[in-house]
Amino acid sequence: MGKQAELTKPKRAASRAAAGRWKLEDAKARFSEVVRHAREEGPQRVTVRGHDAVVVMSVEEFDRLAPAKPRAPFVAFMESLHLDGLDLEREVDRGRDVEL
């Protein structure tokens, strides 16, 4: 029975790799294989306690998904909206009178 368990173990690991899902302990033990699969087949999910935790992906895939240019600062963004006619003035509000 011990030999049979050893023979089926690589099949299960191969099916995980084919599905692009790895348990954390398998991913740690076979990290170079995870990286190879990520470069050749696409993003690989690593699970912790049965829940997706991280994704290992190729740098080309990451560059494709990451924003190409940095975002504009908030003030520059607001000025780019061209809201010149919008009245943003507030009345002076000193709060309510409180009797002590």
Side-chain angles (χ1 to χ4, degrees):
M1 181 130 186
K3 282 200 177 246
Q4 187 178 9
E6 287 177 12
L7 292 174
T8 58
K9 189 175 182 180
K11 280 186 179 180
R12 282 189 294 154
S15 68
R16 283 186 205 117
R21 280 191 192 280
W22 302 78
K23 288 173 43 180
L24 179 61
E25 62 264 14
D26 293 337
K28 285 169 55 175
R30 299 165 57 197
F31 187 67
S32 60
E33 189 174 343
V34 174
V35 171
R36 182 175 55 79
H37 280 280
R39 294 183 75 196
E40 294 174 359
E41 299 169 10
Q44 303 293 302
R45 293 175 182 258
V46 178
T47 62
V48 175
R49 296 185 190 107
H51 299 285
D52 289 343
V54 298
V55 175
V56 178
M57 67 175 63
S58 69
V59 71
E60 294 84 11
E61 183 77 8
F62 177 78
D63 288 342
R64 186 181 69 79
L65 295 172
K69 63 177 184 174
R71 288 194 253 176
F74 182 70
V75 172
F77 168 74
M78 292 301 289
E79 289 172 347
S80 73
L81 295 177
H82 304 293
L83 301 174
D84 299 330
L86 187 62
D87 181 21
L88 298 176
E89 294 296 319
R90 293 180 57 177
E91 291 183 22
V92 177
D93 183 9
R94 301 199 194 292
R96 62 180 185 206
D97 292 331
V98 178
E99 292 183 29
L100 299 175

